[in-house]
Amino acid sequence: MISIKDLTLSFDSDRGRTIVLKEFHLDIADGEFIAVVGASGVGKSTLLRVIAGLVKPTSGTVTRDNPETPGRRPYALVFQDARLLPWRRVVKNVEFGLEGLGLDKQTRRRRALDALELVGLADKADRWPHQLSGGQRQRVAIARALAVDPDLLMMDEPFGALDAITRQGLQDELVDLWQRTGKTILFVTHDIDEAVYLADRVILLAGSPAGVRSTDRVATPRPRQRDDATARHTANAIRDRLSGTVVDGEGI
Amino acid sequence: MARPRALRLSLSLLGVVLFFAVWEALPRLGLVKSMLLPAPSGIPATFWQEVSSGAWGEAVLQSLRHYVSGLVLGSALGVALGVATGMSRTLEDMTNWIVRLLRPIPGLAWVPFAIIWFGVSPTAANFIIIVGVFWINYFSALSAVQAVDRDLIELANAFGHRSPLARLFKVILPASVQPIMAGLRTGLGQAWMAVVAAELFGVAGLGQRMMQASSLLATDIVVVYMITMALLYGVVDAGFVALRDRLLAWKA
């Protein structure tokens, strides 16, 4: 389990203190798929960066049950842009996080190839990033994150920059990956339908400073249908809370 | 409208032929004294004479020695300090004014000091070359490092490469290879000019041999060394471009 307790982040500037995140609290069970939704700019990405240790919180803690294991990294991030290093071939991009873990070359290569296999790109291992499509690049980014075998896989609007068809394909692939690997996933998106389709729990982050506005459990059994009525109902409820007004569920 | 390839090629060829024809005609027709402008038809014989006497080979070797050592040292210093300054805010602030003061001084303005400090010696030549290529490489490396995508630095942090050295080798250097290479290439030409300039002041090498010939009014020998410089520079530059293209294979 991963426990995020009373996470608060503020920074001081000329115009005084800005509180970005206030007393954020979340317990994530092993193997759980959690989505965080909220308006853009509310601090969803910042939350991921604090958990990943890229930004130091003003107060609060993130703790894991799992002990530090050699050859792994506790957290891995997938960004909205694939963020591949253009000077590395695909397989070397996937090895990026494995370097500096004290693994020998063969182990790194094997684990990178295994991760590429998981996302169905083993045959592209020797390509350069610029030779891949947008969707393939994002799958490489997912492989790079999976390769370090993280306790928590964090994804920051990973499909936001893709076209609708590619996005739906990758959403299904991600669920499939999650079920096969049993990874714990924290998935940030502003697309409420996406969140409800993918996650076990949907956290609505709102307010300024941002805090947990609501938590919805999505009980729909898997495999899910995109037009599932219960899911649509949940999505609409979240949408209403987000906009602060109760309107008819139009424009799903 | 685009000209056909064949036409363009023959025009280029025609230009070269005309150039040599006019050059040959001027002394032949007595329009210019052949002592002032030696006809090109006589150059190969003079070239061979210089080569077989051993003077040519010796001068080339001497110049190359100055060139390579000055170039390597000046480029290495320039790139290293440029990268360091690009990575450290403190260093940047500290050097800011010094750089502004020293930068506008042309490399050749250091000749008096070079001679006072080192005499007319290979060290003096080296010094002038080093100063000449240092700034080019310093600025290209500095701006290259400062232009590295912040997202890639964040990626390095997210995947555990947080020490300055890891950041340097995993992201910063590979990301700035291209502009640094461009600076190095400019330096190749600049250093060659500095070599000749230093040798014109009496340090042994191509430039000195040229000066000796010109004081004896042996203009054909001067031309031989001018051609030699052009050829050597051409070879060095072509070699560098080949090396660069290999290093930047991922761009293709």
Side-chain angles (χ1 to χ4, degrees):
Chain A
M1 192 173 85
I2 293 162
S3 296
I4 303 160
K5 281 199 174 63
D6 299 324
L7 215 55
T8 297
L9 178 72
S10 61
F11 57 87
D12 297 311
S13 69
D14 302 341
R15 280 174 294 167
R17 167 162 292 204
T18 315
I19 305 172
V20 185
L21 209 59
K22 195 172 179 184
E23 288 162 17
F24 182 88
H25 205 94
L26 180 65
D27 287 333
I28 307 171
D30 286 338
E32 205 177 358
F33 195 137
I34 293 187
V36 176
V37 296
S40 50
V42 77
K44 306 186 294 290
S45 299
T46 310
L47 174 67
L48 291 194
R49 281 160 176 77
V50 174
I51 298 171
L54 296 176
V55 177
K56 208 173 137 45
T58 313
S59 63
T61 54
V62 180
T63 49
R64 291 172 294 126
D65 285 351
N66 285 351
E68 201 86 33
T69 344
R72 303 178 55 205
R73 295 193 188 277
Y75 304 105
L77 257 168
V78 176
F79 302 92
Q80 178 169 7
D81 52 324
R83 230 173 264 197
L84 303 183
L85 303 173
W87 56 85
R88 285 175 175 238
R89 291 181 193 270
V90 164
V91 67
K92 290 290 286 175
N93 263 289
V94 179
E95 284 180 36
F96 185 67
L98 296 169
E99 293 161 8
L101 286 178
L103 302 167
D104 61 53
K105 229 175 154 166
Q106 287 90 338
T107 311
R108 288 203 305 259
R109 181 55 52 100
R110 187 178 43 73
R111 278 176 61 176
L113 288 173
D114 286 349
L116 278 173
E117 186 76 53
L118 273 174
V119 299
L121 286 179
D123 59 324
K124 301 279 192 283
D126 286 325
R127 296 289 179 87
W128 296 110
H130 73 88
Q131 295 172 316
L132 305 182
S133 70
Q136 289 173 332
R137 277 201 285 270
Q138 201 54 289
R139 275 147 73 195
V140 174
I142 294 171
R144 175 175 61 194
L146 287 173
V148 300
D149 196 15
D151 289 330
L152 182 63
L153 172 61
M154 289 184 278
M155 310 180 85
D156 188 4
E157 306 208 22
F159 309 142
L162 302 173
D163 64 86
I165 293 170
T166 312
R167 187 186 315 139
Q168 292 200 357
L170 279 180
Q171 285 167 350
D172 292 334
E173 257 185 61
L174 178 63
V175 171
D176 182 53
L177 258 175
W178 168 66
Q179 288 173 331
R180 279 191 290 155
T181 59
K183 283 285 149 207
T184 312
I185 298 181
L186 187 58
F187 187 102
V188 157
T189 176
H190 64 259
D191 180 344
I192 293 167
D193 297 310
E194 182 178 51
V196 170
Y197 179 66
L198 294 175
D200 297 324
R201 266 198 294 163
V202 179
I203 314 281
L204 173 61
L205 200 65
S208 176
V212 177
R213 175 78 181 276
S214 67
T215 303
D216 288 83
R217 193 163 284 285
V218 185
T220 323
R222 298 172 194 269
R224 291 174 175 171
Q225 302 299 313
R226 284 184 188 274
D227 55 0
D228 182 81
T230 328
R232 199 190 311 164
H233 184 77
T234 312
N236 284 338
I238 297 171
R239 236 186 297 275
D240 292 345
R241 261 174 261 136
L242 179 60
S243 60
T245 47
V246 182
V247 288
D248 257 3
E250 216 184 329
I252 295 165
Chain B
M1 215 183 74
R3 284 163 184 267
R5 236 180 101 83
L7 178 63
R8 293 186 57 194
L9 204 70
S10 22
L11 280 174
S12 305
L13 218 66
L14 181 69
V16 174
V17 170
L18 275 176
F19 173 74
F20 279 104
V22 171
W23 180 3
E24 183 75 34
L26 285 173
R28 283 272 170 123
L29 299 175
L31 295 170
V32 180
K33 280 191 204 156
S34 66
M35 193 189 70
L36 294 180
L37 184 67
S41 54
I43 299 298
T46 316
F47 210 119
W48 177 242
Q49 215 180 309
E50 280 291 303
V51 172
S52 52
S53 78
W56 186 84
E58 202 190 335
V60 165
L61 275 182
Q62 283 163 335
S63 286
L64 278 181
R65 216 171 295 143
H66 302 154
Y67 179 70
V68 171
S69 57
L71 183 69
V72 168
L73 259 171
S75 304
L77 276 173
V79 170
L81 281 174
V83 169
T85 312
M87 285 179 75
S88 156
R89 259 320 234 304
T90 317
L91 207 57
E92 195 197 345
D93 289 339
M94 269 177 65
T95 51
N96 200 357
W97 285 6
I98 306 173
V99 166
R100 256 188 250 175
L101 183 75
L102 293 181
R103 182 199 189 180
I105 303 172
L108 293 185
W110 289 95
V111 166
F113 269 117
I115 292 173
I116 291 166
W117 289 341
F118 307 110
V120 178
S121 68
T123 316
N126 270 332
F127 176 77
I128 292 164
I129 299 161
I130 289 170
V131 174
V133 290
F134 174 84
W135 290 115
I136 296 165
N137 286 289
Y138 175 83
F139 282 105
S140 68
L142 173 63
S143 58
V145 168
Q146 285 175 336
V148 172
D149 190 348
R150 306 312 299 170
D151 285 351
L152 294 185
I153 307 276
E154 185 185 58
L155 174 79
N157 286 337
F159 282 88
H161 305 304
R162 297 193 183 190
S163 72
L165 270 186
R167 234 185 308 145
L168 175 67
F169 287 108
K170 300 278 181 211
V171 173
I172 293 178
L173 274 187
S176 18
V177 162
Q178 198 174 22
I180 288 179
M181 290 296 250
L184 285 172
R185 192 177 170 196
T186 315
L188 289 182
Q190 194 73 31
W192 202 223
M193 284 190 258
V195 169
V196 175
E199 290 170 356
L200 289 177
F201 286 99
V203 181
L206 292 172
Q208 187 206 41
R209 184 83 187 137
M210 244 173 107
M211 281 308 276
Q212 286 169 350
S214 102
S215 64
L216 299 171
L217 292 180
T219 45
D220 49 347
I221 297 184
V222 174
V223 172
V224 165
Y225 284 101
M226 287 169 77
I227 293 170
T228 303
M229 286 167 192
L231 285 179
L232 281 179
Y233 175 69
V235 168
V236 168
D237 190 59
F240 184 81
V241 167
L243 176 76
R244 181 198 63 183
D245 289 350
R246 270 195 60 167
L247 271 172
L248 294 177
W250 54 271
K251 278 261 170 193

Short mmCIF file of all heavy atoms in Angstrom, two decimals, chain B residues 2 7 26 29 33 45-46 52 65 90 112 119 128 177 183 202 221-222 236 246:
data_model
loop_
_atom_site.label_atom_id
_atom_site.label_comp_id
_atom_site.label_asym_id
_atom_site.label_seq_id
_atom_site.Cartn_x
_atom_site.Cartn_y
_atom_site.Cartn_z
N ALA B 2 13.99 26.00 -61.48
CA ALA B 2 15.20 25.23 -61.19
C ALA B 2 15.93 24.88 -62.48
O ALA B 2 15.32 24.48 -63.47
CB ALA B 2 14.81 23.94 -60.46
N LEU B 7 23.24 21.37 -66.59
CA LEU B 7 23.57 22.76 -66.94
C LEU B 7 24.34 23.41 -65.80
O LEU B 7 25.35 24.08 -66.01
CB LEU B 7 22.29 23.54 -67.24
CG LEU B 7 22.48 25.02 -67.57
CD1 LEU B 7 23.30 25.18 -68.85
CD2 LEU B 7 21.15 25.73 -67.72
N LEU B 26 46.92 36.46 -67.83
CA LEU B 26 47.46 37.74 -67.36
C LEU B 26 48.99 37.80 -67.42
O LEU B 26 49.54 38.70 -68.05
CB LEU B 26 46.95 38.03 -65.94
CG LEU B 26 45.48 38.47 -65.89
CD1 LEU B 26 44.99 38.57 -64.45
CD2 LEU B 26 45.28 39.82 -66.60
N LEU B 29 50.36 37.11 -71.29
CA LEU B 29 50.22 38.21 -72.23
C LEU B 29 51.02 39.43 -71.80
O LEU B 29 50.95 40.48 -72.44
CB LEU B 29 48.74 38.59 -72.39
CG LEU B 29 47.84 37.47 -72.92
CD1 LEU B 29 46.38 37.91 -72.93
CD2 LEU B 29 48.29 37.05 -74.32
N LYS B 33 53.41 41.29 -64.44
CA LYS B 33 54.71 40.61 -64.38
C LYS B 33 54.53 39.25 -63.70
O LYS B 33 53.81 39.16 -62.69
CB LYS B 33 55.71 41.44 -63.56
CG LYS B 33 56.32 42.56 -64.36
CD LYS B 33 57.49 43.14 -63.57
CE LYS B 33 57.74 44.59 -64.01
NZ LYS B 33 58.40 45.36 -62.97
N ALA B 45 55.06 22.22 -60.96
CA ALA B 45 56.50 21.99 -60.92
C ALA B 45 57.10 22.54 -59.62
O ALA B 45 57.90 21.87 -58.95
CB ALA B 45 57.18 22.65 -62.13
N THR B 46 56.68 23.76 -59.26
CA THR B 46 57.17 24.36 -58.02
C THR B 46 56.74 23.51 -56.82
O THR B 46 57.52 23.30 -55.88
CB THR B 46 56.59 25.79 -57.85
OG1 THR B 46 56.67 26.47 -59.08
CG2 THR B 46 57.32 26.55 -56.77
N SER B 52 59.83 17.65 -52.90
CA SER B 52 61.01 16.79 -52.98
C SER B 52 62.17 17.34 -52.16
O SER B 52 63.02 16.58 -51.69
CB SER B 52 61.42 16.56 -54.44
OG SER B 52 61.53 17.80 -55.09
N ARG B 65 51.17 20.34 -36.22
CA ARG B 65 51.43 20.13 -34.79
C ARG B 65 50.86 21.31 -33.99
O ARG B 65 50.17 21.12 -32.99
CB ARG B 65 52.93 19.96 -34.55
CG ARG B 65 53.23 18.97 -33.45
CD ARG B 65 54.71 18.66 -33.38
NE ARG B 65 55.20 17.98 -34.56
CZ ARG B 65 56.41 18.20 -35.12
NH1 ARG B 65 57.22 19.09 -34.60
NH2 ARG B 65 56.78 17.52 -36.17
N THR B 90 25.70 29.93 -10.42
CA THR B 90 26.75 30.66 -9.70
C THR B 90 27.89 31.03 -10.64
O THR B 90 28.35 32.17 -10.69
CB THR B 90 27.29 29.79 -8.55
OG1 THR B 90 26.18 29.17 -7.91
CG2 THR B 90 28.09 30.61 -7.58
N PRO B 112 51.01 40.35 -29.28
CA PRO B 112 52.09 40.97 -28.49
C PRO B 112 52.38 40.24 -27.19
O PRO B 112 53.53 39.94 -26.87
CB PRO B 112 51.54 42.38 -28.21
CG PRO B 112 50.57 42.63 -29.29
CD PRO B 112 49.97 41.31 -29.65
N GLY B 119 57.94 34.25 -26.30
CA GLY B 119 58.91 34.44 -27.37
C GLY B 119 58.31 33.97 -28.68
O GLY B 119 57.14 33.61 -28.75
N ILE B 128 48.03 31.57 -29.19
CA ILE B 128 47.16 32.37 -30.06
C ILE B 128 46.02 31.52 -30.62
O ILE B 128 44.86 31.95 -30.69
CB ILE B 128 47.99 33.01 -31.19
CG1 ILE B 128 48.92 34.05 -30.58
CG2 ILE B 128 47.09 33.64 -32.24
CD1 ILE B 128 50.04 34.47 -31.49
N VAL B 177 24.98 18.00 -28.39
CA VAL B 177 26.04 17.60 -29.32
C VAL B 177 26.01 18.44 -30.60
O VAL B 177 27.05 18.93 -31.05
CB VAL B 177 25.91 16.10 -29.68
CG1 VAL B 177 26.69 15.79 -30.93
CG2 VAL B 177 26.43 15.26 -28.54
N GLY B 183 30.03 24.58 -33.22
CA GLY B 183 31.06 25.46 -32.69
C GLY B 183 32.45 24.91 -32.98
O GLY B 183 33.36 25.65 -33.39
N GLY B 202 56.77 34.41 -37.43
CA GLY B 202 58.09 33.80 -37.37
C GLY B 202 58.15 32.42 -36.76
O GLY B 202 59.21 31.79 -36.76
N ILE B 221 56.08 29.99 -54.97
CA ILE B 221 56.11 29.20 -53.74
C ILE B 221 55.01 29.66 -52.78
O ILE B 221 54.35 28.86 -52.13
CB ILE B 221 57.51 29.31 -53.07
CG1 ILE B 221 58.55 28.71 -54.01
CG2 ILE B 221 57.52 28.61 -51.72
CD1 ILE B 221 59.95 28.67 -53.45
N VAL B 222 54.78 30.97 -52.74
CA VAL B 222 53.69 31.48 -51.90
C VAL B 222 52.37 30.83 -52.30
O VAL B 222 51.60 30.36 -51.46
CB VAL B 222 53.58 33.03 -52.01
CG1 VAL B 222 52.36 33.52 -51.25
CG2 VAL B 222 54.85 33.69 -51.47
N VAL B 236 40.61 18.44 -43.35
CA VAL B 236 40.24 18.44 -41.93
C VAL B 236 38.72 18.63 -41.79
O VAL B 236 38.05 17.91 -41.04
CB VAL B 236 40.99 19.55 -41.17
CG1 VAL B 236 40.40 19.74 -39.78
CG2 VAL B 236 42.46 19.20 -41.07
N ARG B 246 28.32 10.76 -38.26
CA ARG B 246 28.22 9.47 -37.56
C ARG B 246 27.64 9.67 -36.17
O ARG B 246 26.80 8.91 -35.72
CB ARG B 246 29.60 8.83 -37.44
CG ARG B 246 29.93 7.93 -38.61
CD ARG B 246 31.10 7.06 -38.31
NE ARG B 246 30.84 6.19 -37.15
CZ ARG B 246 31.61 5.17 -36.85
NH1 ARG B 246 32.64 4.89 -37.59
NH2 ARG B 246 31.34 4.43 -35.79
#
